[in-house]
Amino acid sequence: SGVVFGMMGFNARLDPTRQYSLAYFPSFKFQAGHALPVVLLITLLGIIARNQSGVAHAAHLGGLLFGLLYYEAFRIGWT
């Protein structure tokens, strides 16, 4: 799941205007750049709340931050 968040972070920075939709609600469309802060906020709130839902919020956050940092390395030509 962290890898999925990493790919999402990289793709959201690479093309923030790309349109996505949810699998079960295909008529609900959103831009990747708008989803990124929402996902980041939900992940941070999950870590702060320390709920016992079984969701690895820290892994999601780590993957998301890695994807964002990898994009920055890609942008300046390190990769």
Side-chain angles (χ1 to χ4, degrees):
S1 62
V3 173
V4 173
F5 273 63
M7 292 173 59
M8 182 180 62
F10 181 85
N11 286 320
R13 294 286 292 149
L14 185 64
D15 186 9
T17 60
R18 173 170 270 180
Q19 292 283 323
Y20 289 104
S21 63
L22 298 175
Y24 297 107
F25 302 104
S27 61
F28 179 71
K29 297 187 185 305
F30 54 92
Q31 291 184 350
H34 293 151
L36 187 61
V38 172
V39 170
L40 182 62
L41 179 67
I42 291 171
T43 303
L44 287 173
L45 289 175
I47 291 172
I48 292 168
R50 293 182 180 220
N51 59 3
Q52 300 298 322
S53 66
V55 176
H57 292 288
H60 293 155
L61 180 63
L64 186 61
L65 292 177
F66 178 82
L68 295 174
L69 290 173
Y70 192 78
Y71 169 78
E72 293 301 322
F74 174 78
R75 185 178 61 84
I76 62 173
W78 282 5
T79 59

